[in-house]
Amino acid sequence: MVRKLKHHEQKLLKKVDFLEWKNEHNLREIQVMRRYNLEKREEYIKYNKLVGEIRKIAYKISLLDPRDPYRTKSEEQLLNKLYNMGIITAKKPFSQIERISVSS
């Protein structure tokens, strides 16, 4: 036997659709998949994780002291790698890594 829902619980349940909740907020995902002819959603998820890892590495490098020679070497290596992969268009500013998205 199930208890009767309280008023605020009923209001919350009206706002949530448990059958379609996965498909509600993926408009950007669908646009990118159509634009770049991605066949499966898993491909988009992999690219999204890759972008997250790149941003994470860039953030950790940016936490280092600007005068540290390891930081300048790491920045240069990361920029060269991303440029050679075709993800960024120029090797100059390290701050452009923050703007990398799945579309890149």
Side-chain angles (χ1 to χ4, degrees):
M1 186 154 184
V2 179
R3 71 173 174 84
K4 186 177 177 185
L5 295 176
K6 296 179 182 176
H7 178 69
H8 69 280
E9 293 172 335
Q10 289 177 349
K11 284 179 65 178
L12 285 173
L13 281 177
K14 287 180 185 176
K15 294 179 184 178
V16 179
D17 184 9
F18 289 108
L19 299 176
E20 298 293 325
W21 68 276
K22 287 184 180 180
N23 299 328
E24 288 179 1
H25 303 290
N26 62 355
L27 183 60
R28 172 78 177 142
E29 181 179 317
I30 291 171
Q31 289 173 343
V32 170
M33 287 177 63
R34 284 185 185 156
R35 184 173 181 185
Y36 298 105
N37 296 325
L38 298 177
E39 295 290 324
K40 299 178 183 175
R41 185 173 180 268
E42 289 79 26
E43 292 177 6
Y44 176 82
I45 292 171
K46 285 179 187 178
Y47 289 131
N48 205 9
K49 286 182 183 179
L50 191 70
V51 167
E53 291 294 323
I54 292 170
R55 285 184 178 174
K56 191 163 122 179
I57 291 169
Y59 175 72
K60 288 183 180 183
I61 291 173
S62 69
L63 291 178
L64 296 173
D65 184 29
R67 295 168 289 175
D68 187 9
Y70 177 73
R71 177 182 172 160
T72 56
K73 179 182 169 189
S74 299
E75 284 180 359
E76 185 179 323
Q77 286 178 343
L78 185 60
L79 288 172
N80 284 335
K81 181 71 170 179
L82 295 176
Y83 180 76
N84 290 337
M85 290 172 64
I87 295 176
I88 57 176
T89 57
K91 295 182 188 179
K92 294 286 182 187
F94 188 71
S95 61
Q96 70 180 349
I97 294 178
E98 296 171 356
R99 291 176 288 197
I100 291 177
S101 66
V102 176
S103 299
S104 301

